[in-house]
Amino acid sequence: MTSILVRCHACLAAVAAILTASSTLAQSATFPDRPIVIVDPAAAGSGTDFFSRPLAEEMSKILNKPVIVENKPGAGGALAAEFVARAKPDGHTLGLAAVSTHAANPAVNKALRYDPVKDFAAITLMVTLPSVTVVRADAPIRSLKELVEAARAAPGKVTFAGPGIGTAAHVLLEQFSRQAGIRVSYIPYRGSGDMLADLLGGRVDVASDNIPTLLPHLKEGRLRALVVRDVIRVASLPDVPTYKELGFESVSFPLWFGLVAPAGTPPDVIRLLNNTAQTAMRTPAFQQRIEAGSARYSPSTPEHFQAQIEEWRDRFRITAEQAGIRTE
């Protein structure tokens, strides 16, 4: 009798597995059957717009279904990441993953309600993007050396604006400050617009953001660039040195952005999205937009991107521990 029950349970399990697989295949065969939403953790008008929206436009053409960017800023990107992590894993809700959402924030905020690895399925790396540290054009600080000198002369008095507590910009600033032996006051912002208004209005001293957001103001002479975060100088700012050139190699690397889906999204949907995104990123329209923003096209397999997320999560965890950064 026991052996019969065991066999029955085994049969039921096999039938359940077959039905689940059949259901998944049926869903995948009709994917997408409605608009796809890409959740962007930055505010509308921020530095991610110049590649997230062109990507959505090109993917829409390929899939013959609307692909929409929905901005959901807040908590250093955690609000957007959590929203994606809790979404139905059918490929219709995707997330714009960043160093902030999948490495920096998890490293410093133990109260996060998502896991950067377990709660997501990686689709593809998209771009690497340098950032630039700037001051007003009429500011007395004219170089990174003078910024360090000013901060040493008045610990905690120099105000440094950036995109949120626990973001990559925040963690890297803390790491740079420790290496330089300075202390500044970090002022977090939800979006680039408010940050720029305060910088240009003289309410903060220094700011750091992605190059596309700041480049028009640099070209028009309202801002002065002090240093670029990248491994090489960028073509749009050829006279601006990198952190590496100035002796701070450990914080001199561009940030990355990619696409993720909720964990449990069917593998064939992930493959379709990977192929679609990479085809979209190879179009002249997308390439022209990222070149104008000083970004570099950097596609990958889902497996490679997953491994990169894990590597950077571990790297930022060490950085946060060394810098003593904790948020709640």
Side-chain angles (χ1 to χ4, degrees), residues 38-39 41 51 55 94-99 101-102 122-128 255-261 281 298 300 305 308-309:
I38 298 175
V39 182
F51 62 83
L55 176 76
L94 309 179
L96 188 63
V99 177
T101 59
H102 281 66
I123 297 172
T124 182
L125 184 62
M126 291 169 53
V127 298
T128 57
L255 305 182
W256 48 255
F257 296 85
L259 276 183
V260 294
M281 288 187 282
S298 186
S300 72
F305 188 32
Q308 179 162 317
I309 290 172

Side-chain angles (χ1 to χ4, degrees), residues 13-34:
V15 169
I18 292 170
L19 290 174
T20 300
S22 299
S23 175
T24 298
L25 288 172
Q27 292 172 5
S28 303
T30 60
F31 176 82
D33 59 13
R34 60 185 182 278

Side-chain angles (χ1 to χ4, degrees), residues 123-137:
I123 297 172
T124 182
L125 184 62
M126 291 169 53
V127 298
T128 57
L129 180 62
S131 59
V132 59
T133 298
V134 298
V135 294
R136 294 185 311 280

Side-chain angles (χ1 to χ4, degrees), residues 37-44 46-49 51-53 69-73 80 84 94-96 257:
V37 176
I38 298 175
V39 182
D40 188 330
S46 297
T48 53
D49 274 4
F51 62 83
S52 63
R53 297 185 186 280
V69 175
E70 179 181 327
N71 296 88
K72 194 176 286 293
V84 174
L94 309 179
L96 188 63
F257 296 85

Side-chain angles (χ1 to χ4, degrees), residues 17 49 66 76 87 97 132 172 190 198 211 215 229 241 254 281 296 303:
D49 274 4
V132 59
L172 291 170
R190 285 172 62 91
D198 280 0
I211 286 181
L215 193 57
R229 177 170 286 118
M281 288 187 282
R296 291 192 289 276
E303 294 77 15

Side-chain angles (χ1 to χ4, degrees), residues 147 150-152 154-162 165 169-170 173-174 176-177 182-189 195 203-208:
L147 170 60
R152 284 177 179 165
K157 297 296 184 182
V158 174
T159 51
F160 200 113
I165 294 292
H170 179 207
L173 173 63
E174 295 293 345
F176 163 73
S177 297
I182 62 174
R183 183 163 58 87
V184 299
S185 293
Y186 185 70
I187 312 297
Y189 287 83
M195 181 178 70
R203 290 177 286 278
V204 291
D205 301 316
V206 191
S208 179

